[in-house]
């Protein structure tokens, strides 16, 4: 069943194809969206880091201003300087404490006034900056200390770690920012860690301040790209999904279209899969080969040799039967013409012609180009029109059949007895021969009524002076019966089954040698 199974057999590849076509825009689009997300996250991390760097420089600038003012008190007793130090703490933004040092020892603070504590200058990066997790006054709050040295004197201005962590958090709420000073760093929660922070997986950036010895590190944690896509690219993702769905459905539909039986027939025609088989017609009196009927076969790449009953009806419905018959005529012409000498003078070559073909004047051209390949009037072309599919008689068909008649082409009414053609029909189309359907022949010696019909058909043909051909002759008894009734030509397995062109030429050659 080459056509009936066609669509079903192709369902799996069709589904796979449609699914791939649905996934393709999805996969492509997702990669583009993901890549785009990475790009925009990197840009965001860079902007945020620049912004944080700018703010930290600003804070440290303030602290440096306060330290400068504090240093104006150098050499004075602490009791005279305390007010100035406290004033700085009060008026300068971000500054929490200001202390004065001499020979690396703190001697005056904004908080306590007179104070004694040792200072490790080497704890300061470049001698200028130190990030601490806390100090004895506020052990849980980080501080960033700026140191300014002028000779033996120095000033320390500290910035509250909460300003720093707020800045890290608020500059960009989505990205991760860190402040690194020498061997320690602060996270967004204000915790200070020793060592170097682990590089951030997405958009990692490290910006070093040009004014102070610290760096800002920015980036995004793992999974940020998907969160970003969910927040920013949801409509695009929905569009992609729809696009994928539409493309999948379209491909499924398109494949379905190409899987229709008529397109499969068209493909087979282009691939040259329709080939002629020839069955001999013999003279009822002496068994001589006097003709052949051309029967179409489909040499299917997977199904093997397919008989016409399975595809001719579809070919007729789609109109493809016309180019298929033309192709058959071409192949027969090319295969038989070189062996024309094997065909006797009264050799009849029959082609089955569908009703749709008869409405085309191109039938005439098809017959002409076939005849042109052979010697004149050899073989005689016979067009077999089935009685089950009567042709509507009109001026065009009258003209066509007149011209065919003029070319010496005969008309045979096929399957005679199974349809309902009238005598008027036989007359109108100037039918030259009747082919008695094999169902009647099969009844010889079996059923009296059918044989009675057969007898009257034979009698009718004699009266109308029509040539008579009986098909489906399988037994000697049938042959004898038909020959005795005066049937001219016989066709059937008794004499030869339909065979390929090459086999037919070979058989004809053997026939002609036997006749000699
Ligand atoms: P049909 O025109 O009546 O052709 C005769 C059918 O009887 C052929 O079947 C042939 O193989 C078969 N046949 C011949 N001798 C015997 C016999 O002794 N016993 C039995 N049981 N059968 C025999 P096939 O080749 O299968 O063709 C079937 C039908 O398909 C044809 O019936 C014809 O109507 C159609 N057909 C075949 N080729 C063409 C074509 O090229 N064009 C068109 N339009 N129809 C075609
Ligand atoms: Ca026929
Ligand atoms: Ca028949």
């Amino acid at each position: 069943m080459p056509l009936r199974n066609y669509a079903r057999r192709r369902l799996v590849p069709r589904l796979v194809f449609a699914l791939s076509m649905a996934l393709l825009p999805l996969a492509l689009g997702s990669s583009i969206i993901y890549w785009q997300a990475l790009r925009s996250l990197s840009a965001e991390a860079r902007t945020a880091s620049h912004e944080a760097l700018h703010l930290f420089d600003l804070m440290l600038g303030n602290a440096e201003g306060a330290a400068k003012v504090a240093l104006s008190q150098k050499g004075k007793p602490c009791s005279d300087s305390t007010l100035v130090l406290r004033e700085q703490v009060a008026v300068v933004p971000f500054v929490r404490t200001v202390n004065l040092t001499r020979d690396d020892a703190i001697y005056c603070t904004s908080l306590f006034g007179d104070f004694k504590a040792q200072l490790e200058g080497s704890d300061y990066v470049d001698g200028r900056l130190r990030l601490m997790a806390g100090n004895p006054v506020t052990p849980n709050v980080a501080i960033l200390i700026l140191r300014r040295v002028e000779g033996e004197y120095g000033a320390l201005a500290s910035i509250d770690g909460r300003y720093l962590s707020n800045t890290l958090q608020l500059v960009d709420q989505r990205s991760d920012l860190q402040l690194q000073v020498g061997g320690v760093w602060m996270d967004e929660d204000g915790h200070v860690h020793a060592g170097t922070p682990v590089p951030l997986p997405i958009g990692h950036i490290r910006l070093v301040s040009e004014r102070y010895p610290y760096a800002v590190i920015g980036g995004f944690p793992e999974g940020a790209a998907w969160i970003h896509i969910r927040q920013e690219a949801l409509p695009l993702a929905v569009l992609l999904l729809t696009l994928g769905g539409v493309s999948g459905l379209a491909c499924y539909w398109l494949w379905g279209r190409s899987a229709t039986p008529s397109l499969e027939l068209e493909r087979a025609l282009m691939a040259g899969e329709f080939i002629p088989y020839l069955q001999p017609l013999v003279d009822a009196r002496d068994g001589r080969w006097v003709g052949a009927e051309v029967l179409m076969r489909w040499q299917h790449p997977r199904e093997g040799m397919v008989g016409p009953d399975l595809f001719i009806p579809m070919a007729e419905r789609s109109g493809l039967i016309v180019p298929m018959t033309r192709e058959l005529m071409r192949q027969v012409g090319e295969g038989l013409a070189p062996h024309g000498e094997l065909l006797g003078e009264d050799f009849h070559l029959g082609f089955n012609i569908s009703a749709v073909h008869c409405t085309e004047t191109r039938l005439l051209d098809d017959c002409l180009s076939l005849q042109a390949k052979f010697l004149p009037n050899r073989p005689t072309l016979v067009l077999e029109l089935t009685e089950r599919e009567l042709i509507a008689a009109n001026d065009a068909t009258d003209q066509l059949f007149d011209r065919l008649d003029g070319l010496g082409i005969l008309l045979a009414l096929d399957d005679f007895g199974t349809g309902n053609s009238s005598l008027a029909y036989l007359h109108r189309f100037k039918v030259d021969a009747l082919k008695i359907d094999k169902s009647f022949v099969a009844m010889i010696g079996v059923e009296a009524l059918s044989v009675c019909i057969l007898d009257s058909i034979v009698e009718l043909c004699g009266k109308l002076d029509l040539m008579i051909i009986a098909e489906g002759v399988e037994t000697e008894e049938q042959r004898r019966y038909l020959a005795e009734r005066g049937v001219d030509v016989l066709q059937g397995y008794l004499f030869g089954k339909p065979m390929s062109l090459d086999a037919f030429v070979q058989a004809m050659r053997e026939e002609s040698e036997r006749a000699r």
Side-chain angles (χ1 to χ4, degrees):
M1 298 289 146
L3 292 178
R4 211 174 309 150
N5 288 345
Y6 190 69
R8 188 159 45 84
R9 216 180 36 235
R10 293 242 162 156
L11 188 65
V12 174
R14 181 183 179 184
L15 277 174
V16 170
F17 176 65
L19 212 68
S20 326
M21 286 300 129
L23 290 178
L24 192 73
L26 269 180
L28 249 154
S30 315
S31 335
I32 291 173
I33 288 180
Y34 190 76
W35 176 73
Q36 188 65 39
L38 291 184
R39 265 172 57 103
S40 75
L41 288 180
S42 295
E44 190 175 330
R46 172 174 308 240
T47 311
S49 304
H50 271 291
E51 182 72 2
L53 196 83
H54 172 69
L55 289 173
F56 291 147
D57 275 355
L58 209 76
M59 290 177 191
L60 287 167
N62 286 343
E64 183 149 43
K68 237 187 227 168
V69 174
L71 274 172
S72 67
Q73 300 298 307
K74 65 184 175 190
K76 294 182 187 168
C78 180
S79 50
D80 293 353
S81 311
T82 315
L83 205 65
V84 176
L85 300 188
R86 288 186 182 151
E87 188 193 2
Q88 288 306 301
V89 171
V91 300
V92 181
F94 310 116
V95 174
R96 203 176 88 186
T97 60
V98 182
N99 304 337
L100 281 168
T101 66
R102 187 181 175 187
D103 294 332
D104 276 351
I106 297 171
Y107 70 92
C108 190
T109 71
S110 55
L111 191 60
F112 305 117
D114 269 326
F115 192 81
K116 292 269 171 296
Q118 202 49 46
L119 186 83
E120 241 355 292
S122 59
D123 289 342
Y124 288 77
V125 181
D126 293 352
R128 297 177 68 199
L129 204 60
R130 184 178 182 191
L131 178 63
M132 291 170 72
N135 64 3
V137 182
T138 48
N140 296 323
V141 179
I143 53 167
L144 180 65
I145 308 166
L146 179 105
R147 178 173 175 241
R148 187 180 166 89
V149 179
E150 286 180 8
E152 61 192 294
Y153 286 94
L156 305 173
S158 71
I159 298 167
D160 194 310
R162 282 167 293 203
Y163 289 129
L164 303 172
S165 59
N166 282 353
T167 303
L168 292 175
Q169 275 174 21
L170 298 177
V171 156
D172 183 81
Q173 295 193 359
R174 304 196 320 161
S175 61
D176 255 1
L177 289 177
Q178 297 153 355
L179 169 65
Q180 188 183 29
V181 182
V184 294
W185 59 280
M186 176 192 270
D187 63 22
E188 287 190 348
D189 297 326
H191 300 307
V192 175
H193 311 267
T196 319
V198 181
L200 290 158
I202 298 172
H204 179 85
I205 183 168
R206 186 173 182 275
L207 295 178
V208 177
S209 166
E210 286 172 0
R211 292 173 59 192
Y212 303 100
Y214 76 96
V216 169
I217 294 168
F220 285 85
E222 202 75 67
W226 294 115
I227 296 171
H228 176 81
I229 288 169
R230 220 175 40 226
Q231 287 170 346
E232 309 283 323
L234 199 65
L236 209 64
V238 170
L239 184 78
L240 269 178
L241 233 104
T242 319
L243 213 75
V246 168
S247 114
L249 281 175
C251 290
Y252 186 82
W253 177 74
L254 276 174
W255 182 295
R257 256 170 54 94
S258 72
T260 56
S262 67
L263 279 170
E264 170 62 356
L265 284 183
E266 213 170 307
R267 183 205 61 74
L269 179 62
M270 305 288 268
E273 288 173 15
F274 298 111
I275 56 162
Y277 261 44
L278 279 81
Q279 186 179 28
L281 269 64
V282 304
D283 188 309
R285 291 159 301 177
D286 52 18
R288 214 166 30 91
W289 285 24
V290 291
E293 177 177 5
V294 179
L295 296 158
M296 201 180 299
R297 294 290 180 270
W298 183 358
Q299 207 168 24
H300 198 279
R302 284 181 304 272
E303 305 275 340
M305 201 61 82
V306 179
D309 292 334
L310 293 180
F311 63 89
I312 293 282
M314 183 65 216
E316 283 174 339
R317 274 201 298 280
S318 63
L320 273 172
I321 189 68
V322 176
M324 280 159 73
T325 307
R326 188 170 301 137
E327 170 62 13
L328 214 61
M329 287 177 159
R330 190 192 63 76
Q331 288 186 44
V332 170
E334 269 168 25
L336 268 194
H339 310 284
E341 80 287 349
L342 295 174
L343 314 176
E345 255 181 46
D346 55 351
F347 196 87
H348 287 59
L349 190 59
F351 283 89
N352 293 286
I353 302 295
S354 299
V356 279
H357 208 158
C358 300
T359 57
E360 297 207 7
T361 45
R362 276 198 295 175
L363 176 60
L364 199 77
D365 301 332
D366 296 338
C367 294
L368 274 171
S369 50
L370 177 63
Q371 278 186 328
K373 293 198 174 99
F374 291 96
L375 295 170
N377 298 327
R378 192 198 280 198
T380 302
L381 272 189
V382 183
L383 303 185
E384 299 187 7
L385 308 172
T386 176
E387 199 206 20
R388 281 171 284 119
E389 204 192 30
L390 292 181
I391 304 155
N394 55 37
D395 287 350
T397 49
D398 284 350
Q399 221 178 8
L400 174 70
F401 287 117
D402 275 350
R403 296 188 64 187
L404 287 170
D405 190 43
L407 291 173
I409 294 167
L410 305 185
L411 279 192
L413 204 55
D414 208 352
D415 305 323
F416 194 73
T418 60
N420 44 18
S421 61
S422 64
L423 288 179
Y425 186 86
L426 294 182
H427 183 67
R428 175 81 189 250
F429 287 106
K430 296 201 197 87
V431 170
D432 304 284
L434 289 189
K435 287 192 83 172
I436 301 174
D437 192 66
K438 55 180 174 284
S439 57
F440 293 103
V441 175
M443 288 306 151
I444 292 172
V446 178
E447 199 221 310
L449 179 64
S450 296
V451 177
C452 225
I453 298 174
L454 187 134
D455 287 347
S456 41
I457 293 172
V458 175
E459 202 179 323
L460 175 78
C461 286
K463 284 189 184 139
L464 293 176
D465 200 22
L466 293 175
M467 181 176 151
I468 184 160
I469 304 160
E471 60 178 27
V473 182
E474 292 182 356
T475 64
E476 181 52 34
E477 183 192 358
Q478 291 165 350
R479 188 201 67 75
R480 200 177 328 109
Y481 185 92
L482 291 161
E484 280 166 6
R485 295 293 177 291
V487 175
D488 315 301
V489 180
L490 306 178
Q491 177 184 359
Y493 294 169
L494 184 65
F495 315 104
K497 286 197 168 182
M499 58 193 93
S500 70
L501 249 172
D502 287 345
F504 185 80
V505 168
Q506 181 60 29
M508 278 295 287
R509 183 161 289 126
E510 285 162 16
E511 264 295 306
S512 73
E513 274 163 17
R514 210 177 307 133
R516 255 188 248 144

